[in-house]
Amino acid sequence: MLFLESIQRYWKRTDKMYLLLCLFSSAMAVLALSSWAAKQGSGFAVDELTGQITGIGDYRRAVVQAGAAAIGILVAILLSNIDYRSLVNVWPVHVVLTWGLVLPTLVIRNVTLGPLTIGYNAGDTDNYSWYKLGGFTFQPTELAKISFILTFAMHLNNVRSRLNEPKELGKLLLHLFVPIGIIHIQGDDGTAIIYGIIGCCMLFAAGLSWKYIIGAFAALAAAAAVAFAFFSDKIGKGYQWYRILAVIDPNNETGWAPSETVWKNIIYQQQRGEIAIGSGGIFGNGFFDGRYYSVPNAHNDFIFSWIGNAAGFVGCCVVLGVLLAIIIKTFATGACSEDMLGSFICAGIGGAFMAQIFVNVGMNLRLLPVIGVTLPFYSAGGSSVLMLYICVGLVLSVYMHNTKKLFG
């Protein structure tokens, strides 16, 4: 009886719409991953001799996604009951824990200690930023991202009246660029870019002067122009440069690819993703019955192309509409915060959601190069879903520990 009363009290205090939007996205993700397992994956594991089902096979990804979402929701609910100010105050604890997991991957590559592999390469790139424990993988930079948002919010809150003084701004930029540099050394430039966008959103929310914003954009544009004009052969790793050029010149008319094989390999994933989205038409081919185009990593970075194939233009609009609503609600919660600390936390989390969605959808539509950024809630991965719901819990904490309303 007391338990039910506690649930009722929580339901009255929490942001119900925000929770429901997140739950809808997780449910759609499980549906999409189940569809992928049935139609593009291997489906259930089957004994070759008897034809009997021996395991869940590729449905494992959908099961893990559902389980991680269920655990994540519980974590978010528990976290939302803790005052976010308390979580900021214990910043030395989560900084040591999170970055203590990240730093070993800078120097340790594929070292196995019993069931644990440190510096695991989860893809066919130079990114060794993962841990592998048994059959599960975990990227500590996702957990460190949450710690970064909390510490950067605290830093901004402490210097907000002096934000535009060069000395204080320099310290903030150092706070931002150190983790970006660490993640770049790891080889995960996609995550490094997301960190950069998070920092920019939080600086903007804190009231960064327009003269710095305009100056930064001008400097970035000039640096990009000089890099492309004089140092194109030294930008990133070879495949990264080719992915950028594949977006600008997908037909290789300028001869950027050293061979036809390289050109075809670089454009293949995005080309297939684009075809898959287009083949879905207005209403799609259905999640479990229809014609499907095979897309590499359709369960992960290219899950949006699978949704476009199965649910069509209407399904894509629904998915993006709900994700947009989550972003708006996140920023709105920050706007309602009675202190700037809560506002900065929500600005960072909203910026993370916005950046990942924008970059991932841009990758799927061949508007941006492939940089390994996942679609929040939808891309397969239990640890990333758990990290996502920790962010949701922080936003709900800001919502529940403030009484100010957006409109009066």
Side-chain angles (χ1 to χ4, degrees):
M1 193 68 180
L2 290 174
F3 178 69
L4 291 176
E5 289 177 358
S6 298
I7 293 176
Q8 289 176 344
R9 284 197 300 271
Y10 179 82
W11 190 247
K12 288 179 180 179
R13 293 173 55 219
T14 195
D15 189 343
K16 294 176 279 293
M17 183 54 67
Y18 193 71
L19 265 179
L20 290 173
L21 290 169
C22 295
L23 285 170
F24 174 84
S25 295
S26 287
M28 282 293 295
V30 173
L31 176 63
L33 290 170
S34 298
S35 168
W36 171 84
K39 294 300 178 180
Q40 184 174 320
S42 61
F44 289 108
V46 178
D47 187 284
E48 293 182 0
L49 296 176
T50 65
Q52 292 184 336
I53 295 175
T54 58
I56 58 175
D58 276 339
Y59 284 106
R60 175 180 174 275
R61 300 185 189 278
V63 172
V64 169
Q65 198 84 349
I71 296 170
I73 291 163
L74 292 176
V75 171
I77 291 171
L78 291 172
L79 198 59
S80 66
N81 283 288
I82 302 172
D83 194 320
Y84 58 93
R85 301 172 189 91
S86 301
L87 297 170
V88 170
N89 289 336
V90 295
W91 66 267
V93 176
H94 53 74
V95 166
V96 170
L97 287 176
T98 57
W99 290 100
L101 288 170
V102 172
L103 292 176
T105 62
L106 293 177
V107 294
I108 300 175
R109 302 288 174 89
N110 276 327
V111 173
T112 301
L113 302 171
L116 176 67
T117 300
I118 304 172
Y120 177 67
N121 186 342
D124 191 21
T125 65
D126 294 329
N127 180 2
Y128 291 87
S129 62
W130 297 76
Y131 284 77
K132 184 178 181 182
L133 182 61
F136 296 93
T137 55
F138 167 67
Q139 191 174 25
T141 49
E142 289 298 313
L143 191 58
K145 186 192 299 177
I146 300 167
S147 177
F148 168 74
I149 290 172
L150 293 174
T151 56
F152 203 60
M154 179 184 67
H155 193 165
L156 284 168
N157 191 54
N158 290 340
V159 303
R160 63 183 185 276
S161 62
R162 308 185 306 277
L163 171 65
N164 291 299
E165 295 178 8
K167 180 181 177 181
E168 297 300 340
L169 184 57
K171 292 177 182 176
L172 285 164
L173 292 178
L174 182 64
H175 190 159
L176 174 60
F177 288 139
V178 166
I180 289 175
I182 291 171
I183 296 165
H184 168 71
I185 294 170
Q186 280 186 321
D188 189 5
D189 288 332
T191 299
I193 290 171
I194 300 301
Y195 268 70
I197 296 173
I198 291 169
C200 289
C201 287
M202 295 177 74
L203 285 167
F204 181 80
L208 182 65
S209 172
W210 280 101
K211 68 179 181 181
Y212 291 123
I213 296 172
I214 295 171
F217 274 110
L220 187 62
V226 170
F228 271 78
F230 302 105
F231 304 102
S232 60
D233 59 331
K234 297 180 177 65
I235 297 176
K237 307 174 185 71
Y239 70 89
Q240 292 174 326
W241 175 235
Y242 292 151
R243 285 174 176 177
I244 294 170
L245 291 178
V247 173
I248 300 170
D249 178 20
N251 296 320
N252 196 29
E253 293 176 358
T254 58
W256 55 263
S259 67
E260 186 175 353
T261 301
V262 170
W263 168 60
K264 287 182 176 179
N265 286 340
I266 290 294
I267 69 167
Y268 181 75
Q269 186 178 31
Q270 286 187 297
Q271 186 181 56
R272 297 296 297 180
E274 196 176 34
I275 292 171
I277 292 172
S279 70
I282 301 298
F283 297 106
N285 298 308
F287 281 99
F288 296 98
D289 185 26
R291 183 182 179 188
Y292 303 93
Y293 284 88
S294 175
V295 181
N297 277 324
H299 62 284
N300 198 355
D301 295 356
F302 275 72
I303 189 67
F304 187 73
S305 68
W306 183 263
I307 292 168
N309 199 341
F313 176 76
V314 171
C316 288
C317 287
V318 170
V319 166
L320 292 179
V322 171
L323 289 174
L324 177 61
I326 291 173
I327 293 171
I328 292 171
K329 290 283 287 180
T330 302
F331 286 132
T333 299
C336 293
S337 176
E338 293 175 343
D339 60 17
M340 294 306 296
L341 182 64
S343 297
F344 297 150
I345 290 171
C346 290
I349 293 172
F353 289 168
M354 182 175 64
Q356 285 191 233
I357 293 164
F358 177 80
V359 172
N360 181 271
V361 173
M363 284 162 40
N364 278 256
L365 296 177
R366 201 150 55 157
L367 299 174
L368 294 172
V370 177
I371 57 173
V373 173
T374 57
L375 185 63
F377 294 100
Y378 288 88
S379 294
S383 62
S384 64
V385 172
L386 283 173
M387 297 307 105
L388 196 65
Y389 273 102
I390 290 176
C391 290
V392 170
L394 286 172
V395 175
L396 290 174
S397 175
V398 175
Y399 179 91
M400 292 174 64
H401 292 88
N402 286 285
T403 56
K404 180 181 169 185
K405 302 299 179 185
L406 187 59
F407 301 104

